[in-house]
Amino acid sequence: MPERPQALLAMTARNVPYVFPPELLARLRACVDVDPAVVAHDFTAPRVREVLARTEVLITGWGCPRLDAAALDAAPRLRAVLHAAGSVKDLATEEVWRRGIVVSSAAAANALPVAEYALAVILLAGKDVFALRDRLRGRRRFPYGGILPGVGNHGRRVGVVGASRVGRRLIELLRPHDLTVTLTDPYVDAPEAARLGVPLLELDELLRTSDVVTLHAPATPGTRHLIGARELALMPRGAVLVNTARGALVDHEALIGQLRAGRLSAVLDVTDPEPLPAGSPLYDLPNAFVTPHLAGSQGNEVARLGRTVVEEAERLAAGAHLRHAVDPAALERSA
């Protein structure tokens, strides 16, 4: 039997049992030599440095320090990083790619709960659930006397901003519903949009023609305040903005102005800054629904990330290609 490669866990220690419950941890230890009692959150700790010096596979997650030159110098045998979370942008420095270290990410697994959250709030927003629930709570009787005009999801127009992993998964989840879905993404051409089964629009046209705009673009210098005062003004009265991507995509001051005017509603799982200051109007505006960055993997969903890493570790130990290897050239356009 071939010798198992030496591995090291590098993440917030309290997360390990959630990422790798007993059955997954047993599978992981069957293919790599890893001690779950040694978890790195600081690469300078003496016990960590001792293990790091012989580590071939680094198993990372939320709370892992950046893999800069100093960290990599302490791990001269490192050949693979298996990330039990989403994007590796903040983890993998240029040094990682320069040294030819293979990086795998569970971003595809983490995309599913985000897409599910977006689907759920899109459908709830279409029924005006958030406003009607508050009105029912205040009046303690039905806040309407019959059919509510403008409420419902039949033919509602949903504009997806960004064909990221989440955006693509959301398009799949929206398909069975009686909705009209469009897409904008500067990296997608018409043939690819056709393969996704959605019309491709310029951002301005998508904003003008959508009842719900859902953001799934990456956070880059070029996408900061992608949705600003001009863009918000293009959205039709009564439209809903959903953001599960990055808070910096939206100019919050401009959004607050639109919300105060009653033109738009917003569902925000991410904000800028995060969390919002205690005095932010977004907490109290009746047409703003703010959640605490929970669309991504939480609770029992976290083990899905661990399973992805275990499967990659099994492939690595068998000498097979990693299924979820990261292409550094594509990082700029991933979310």
Side-chain angles (χ1 to χ4, degrees):
M1 182 175 179
E3 186 177 348
R4 293 169 299 157
Q6 176 68 56
L8 173 66
L9 295 170
M11 61 183 69
T12 302
R14 68 175 179 270
N15 290 348
V16 172
Y18 299 102
V19 179
F20 300 109
E23 65 278 9
L24 284 179
L25 184 60
R27 280 178 60 186
L28 182 66
R29 299 188 76 181
C31 60
V32 297
D33 183 3
V34 64
D35 183 353
V38 181
V39 183
H41 56 84
D42 176 3
F43 288 139
T44 65
R47 178 72 179 106
V48 169
R49 289 186 69 85
E50 177 187 333
V51 178
L52 195 59
R54 58 179 188 274
T55 292
E56 299 170 76
V57 181
L58 195 61
I59 299 169
T60 61
W62 296 308
C64 178
R66 275 174 66 82
L67 300 178
D68 56 17
L72 297 173
D73 285 345
R77 300 181 62 190
L78 184 65
R79 57 189 174 96
V81 175
L82 308 182
H83 191 50
S87 175
V88 299
K89 286 181 185 177
D90 295 329
L91 174 71
T93 63
E94 285 297 323
E95 260 320 280
V96 173
W97 314 115
R98 191 182 70 78
R99 299 185 189 207
I101 297 168
V102 178
V103 179
S104 171
S105 168
N110 195 48
L112 176 56
V114 183
E116 290 173 338
Y117 175 102
L119 171 67
V121 298
I122 287 166
L123 295 176
L124 289 173
K127 298 289 281 188
D128 203 17
V129 163
F130 306 115
L132 290 173
R133 184 259 196 184
D134 286 346
R135 287 166 62 186
L136 178 61
R137 171 182 278 180
R139 299 181 185 185
R140 306 301 166 108
R141 57 182 175 82
F142 277 11
Y144 55 90
I147 293 174
L148 285 167
V151 171
N153 287 303
H154 176 65
R156 189 166 291 275
R157 302 168 301 176
V158 178
V160 178
V161 179
S164 61
R165 291 182 184 88
V166 176
R168 291 166 186 261
R169 197 65 184 266
L170 176 61
I171 289 170
E172 292 177 11
L173 296 181
L174 289 168
R175 193 164 290 125
H177 301 278
D178 194 0
L179 301 163
T180 299
V181 181
T182 57
L183 170 69
T184 187
D185 189 311
Y187 296 101
V188 172
D189 58 19
E192 185 175 2
R195 287 192 292 273
L196 293 171
V198 291
L200 185 66
L201 302 179
E202 294 295 328
L203 176 61
D204 285 5
E205 183 64 15
L206 180 140
L207 294 171
R208 289 191 190 99
T209 58
S210 296
D211 301 305
V212 180
V213 174
T214 179
L215 305 183
H216 304 289
T220 68
T223 61
R224 178 171 174 77
H225 291 182
L226 177 71
I227 306 299
R230 188 189 72 84
E231 290 75 22
L232 292 166
L234 294 175
M235 295 173 64
R237 177 174 288 275
V240 181
L241 178 69
V242 178
N243 190 6
T244 58
R246 292 291 183 267
L249 296 176
V250 179
D251 180 340
H252 283 71
E253 290 305 312
L255 177 61
I256 288 167
Q258 291 284 342
L259 296 174
R260 281 177 168 156
R263 281 198 70 251
L264 305 175
S265 298
V267 179
L268 307 174
D269 187 55
V270 290
T271 56
D272 182 31
E274 195 171 67
L276 290 167
S280 172
L282 290 170
Y283 286 122
D284 300 311
L285 284 165
N287 47 354
F289 188 80
V290 182
T291 55
H293 201 147
L294 54 77
S297 298
Q298 289 286 345
N300 59 27
E301 298 164 335
V302 175
R304 185 189 286 126
L305 309 180
R307 186 181 67 206
T308 299
V309 164
V310 168
E311 290 169 352
E312 290 287 73
E314 290 170 341
R315 291 184 192 101
L316 191 69
H321 290 294
L322 299 183
R323 182 172 296 170
H324 302 287
V326 175
D327 175 5
L331 276 180
E332 188 68 10
R333 60 179 184 268
S334 65

